[in-house]
């Protein structure tokens, strides 16, 4: 047995050994819901068992306050051609929404979507925002594709009243030619604790960038996920805490390939191990379900779950989704995808 194989197994045993009391019997069931739309949905934010928001093509924004039985459309005037790839909500009233492509927008509502305030408009022809993540209602960060050999990084500490550019000084932060992010689910960026933030890339390189101080300083770590062409890389990240996390992705042009599509870390992202048993294909979204002690990942070919912090994955279902999310104290997860698909996962 090779040294590399022993390293992978040892990394998995570390995860299995620590916090073993968090593992529970997981019996998941997807329930398909009627979203009232047929557009592709990629943005998703779970607030509670009853409240969730989704977003997507043609300026589509949806909200449910009754556990998904009904979905209300929340249109922003003048955004019929906008693709809202990410949405982050904190209640049934407060939400941020972000668009991909040019012009790039960030809007915020504080009254359940009845009115929206435009916080950002960037008309650069090559602007492309991939996703956003928030530590709390006031403090958040946005990642976008490189412009002039620098990743687009924005932060706010004022609830979006001001979005300020972050310009890292580390040479390692310079993207390689052909390296960029993916706006497949708005989750190629994630945060934890008081200042930890990670974002993943793809294309020529599949790397994971980490800051422990809210974006002031950075370090870069390689991942074992697929890379080398524009369709390969890291599509989604999720962390249990500041140490244990998972990255998923693969090759969206070859979605049935089940190698180089998942990795896990137990040291905050400094070291990443390939999954011993990977998900069954390309995956674009991953979320940690704290009430179940389980990760769930989704992609166009189906969904999988892991009860050992990403070391091994069990196939769940063949229905494809783009994104999956859950609230911190919830026993429900939500997924959305192509053709207006929305579903609830209970266990």
């Amino acid at each position: 047995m090779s040294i590399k194989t022993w390293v992978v197994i040892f990394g998995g045993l570390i995860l299995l050994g620590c916090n073993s009391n968090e593992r529970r019997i997981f019996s998941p069931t997807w329930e398909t819901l009627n979203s009232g739309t047929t557009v592709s949905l990629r943005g998703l934010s779970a607030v509670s068992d009853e409240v969730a928001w989704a977003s997507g093509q043609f300026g589509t924004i949806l909200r449910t306050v009754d556990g998904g039985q009904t979905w209300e459309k929340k249109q922003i005037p003048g955004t019929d051609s906008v693709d809202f790839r990410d949405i982050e909500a904190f209640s049934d009233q407060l939400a941020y929404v972000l668009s991909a492509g040019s012009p790039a927008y960030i809007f915020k509502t504080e009254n359940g979507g009845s009115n929206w305030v435009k916080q950002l408009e960037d008309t650069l022809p090559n602007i492309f925002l991939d996703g956003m993540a928030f530590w709390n209602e006031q403090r958040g960060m946005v990642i976008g594709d490189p412009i002039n050999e620098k990743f687009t990084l924005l932060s706010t500490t004022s609830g979006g009243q001001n979005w300020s550019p972050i310009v890292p000084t580390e040479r390692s932060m310079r993207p390689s030619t052909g390296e960029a992010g993916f706006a497949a689910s708005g989750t190629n960026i994630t945060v934890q604790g008081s200042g930890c933030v990670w974002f993943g890339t793809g294309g020529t390189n599949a790397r994971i960038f980490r800051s422990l101080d809210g974006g002031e300083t950075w370090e870069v770590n390689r991942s074992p996920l697929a890379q080398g062409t524009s369709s390969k890389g890291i599509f989604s990240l999720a962390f249990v805490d500041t140490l244990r996390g998972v990255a998923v992705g693969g090759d969206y042009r070859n979605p049935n390939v089940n190698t180089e599509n998942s990795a896990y870390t137990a040291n905050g992202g400094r070291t990443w191990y390939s999954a011993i048993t990977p998900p069954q294909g390309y995956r674009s979204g991953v979320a940690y379900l704290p009430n179940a002690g389980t990760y769930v990942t989704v992609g166009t070919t189906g969904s999988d779950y892991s009860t050992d912090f990403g070391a091994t994955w069990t196939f769940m279902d063949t229905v494809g989704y783009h994104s999956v999310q859950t609230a911190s104290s919830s026993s429900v997860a939500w997924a959305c995808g192509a053709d207006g698909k929305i579903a609830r996962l209970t266990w």
Side-chain angles (χ1 to χ4, degrees):
M1 187 176 291
S2 69
I3 294 175
K4 181 179 179 182
T5 301
W6 276 114
V7 168
V8 171
I9 293 173
F10 181 68
L13 291 174
I14 290 174
L15 290 178
L16 287 167
C18 67
N19 295 285
S20 61
N21 61 323
E22 294 184 28
R23 299 197 306 275
R24 299 173 176 85
I25 296 174
F26 186 63
S27 180
T29 302
W30 285 112
E31 175 191 358
T32 303
L33 306 171
N34 181 7
S35 68
T37 184
T38 58
V39 308
S40 178
L41 301 171
R42 293 185 182 271
L44 185 62
S45 186
V47 176
S48 68
D49 288 3
E50 301 299 319
V51 178
W53 297 68
S55 64
Q57 292 178 314
F58 309 119
T60 301
I61 299 172
L62 304 175
R63 182 189 71 159
T64 183
V65 295
D66 58 11
Q69 295 181 50
T70 58
W71 292 86
E72 309 163 276
K73 292 185 179 180
K74 304 290 182 179
Q75 193 76 30
I76 301 173
T79 63
D80 291 354
S81 62
V82 170
D83 192 353
F84 286 127
R85 293 290 184 94
D86 195 9
I87 191 164
E88 299 290 330
F90 292 90
S91 69
D92 63 341
Q93 299 296 303
L94 175 59
Y96 298 82
V97 67
L98 170 147
S99 71
S102 182
Y105 293 110
I106 298 175
F107 291 91
K108 179 182 180 180
T109 182
E110 296 182 280
N111 59 7
S114 296
N115 302 99
W116 295 83
V117 174
K118 183 167 61 178
Q119 297 189 320
L120 176 77
E121 180 178 6
D122 192 326
T123 59
L124 285 173
N126 51 351
I127 188 73
F128 195 95
L129 302 182
D130 299 307
M132 58 183 169
F134 284 79
W135 287 276
N136 53 49
E137 295 179 10
Q138 298 296 310
R139 188 170 173 230
M141 186 174 292
V142 167
I143 174 66
D145 285 354
I147 297 177
N148 297 326
E149 298 185 335
K150 295 178 181 177
F151 287 106
T152 302
L153 289 167
L154 306 171
S155 69
T156 183
T157 58
S158 60
Q161 293 184 45
N162 296 293
W163 286 95
S164 304
I166 297 174
V167 185
T169 58
E170 296 89 348
R171 284 184 58 84
S172 60
M173 285 293 291
R174 182 177 297 175
S176 60
T177 301
E179 181 180 16
F182 290 106
S185 62
T187 56
N188 74 326
I189 181 171
T190 189
V191 299
Q192 272 288 344
S194 60
C196 295
V197 56
W198 301 262
F199 70 87
T201 61
T204 53
N205 267 323
R207 299 190 290 172
I208 296 172
F209 297 72
R210 180 182 76 150
S211 173
L212 304 181
D213 51 20
E216 292 186 23
T217 59
W218 294 85
E219 65 178 57
V220 186
N221 297 283
R222 295 196 172 275
S223 82
L225 270 71
Q227 53 198 283
T229 65
S230 61
S231 59
K232 298 178 180 179
I234 299 161
F235 286 74
S236 183
L237 294 162
F239 273 74
V240 176
D241 48 36
T242 58
L243 294 177
R244 296 170 294 167
V246 161
V248 300
D251 184 350
Y252 75 82
R253 290 199 179 116
N254 295 284
N256 291 308
V257 174
N258 64 349
T259 58
E260 300 180 310
N261 63 357
S262 178
Y264 60 93
T265 180
N267 61 8
R270 293 193 301 274
T271 309
W272 292 86
Y273 302 98
S274 293
I276 299 166
T277 304
Q280 293 300 298
Y282 151 75
R283 295 294 180 256
S284 56
V286 64
Y288 182 67
L289 317 182
N291 282 1
T294 301
Y295 281 105
V296 170
T297 186
V298 300
T300 52
T301 61
S303 53
D304 315 78
Y305 68 89
S306 172
T307 58
D308 55 11
F309 301 102
T312 62
W313 294 85
T314 300
F315 188 65
M316 278 172 49
D317 194 278
T318 58
V319 178
Y321 298 103
H322 293 317
S323 185
V324 59
Q325 291 289 324
T326 190
S328 58
S329 59
S330 176
S331 58
V332 170
W334 307 80
C336 66
D339 303 317
K341 268 189 294 211
I342 291 183
R344 274 170 52 111
L345 182 73
T346 55
W347 57 88

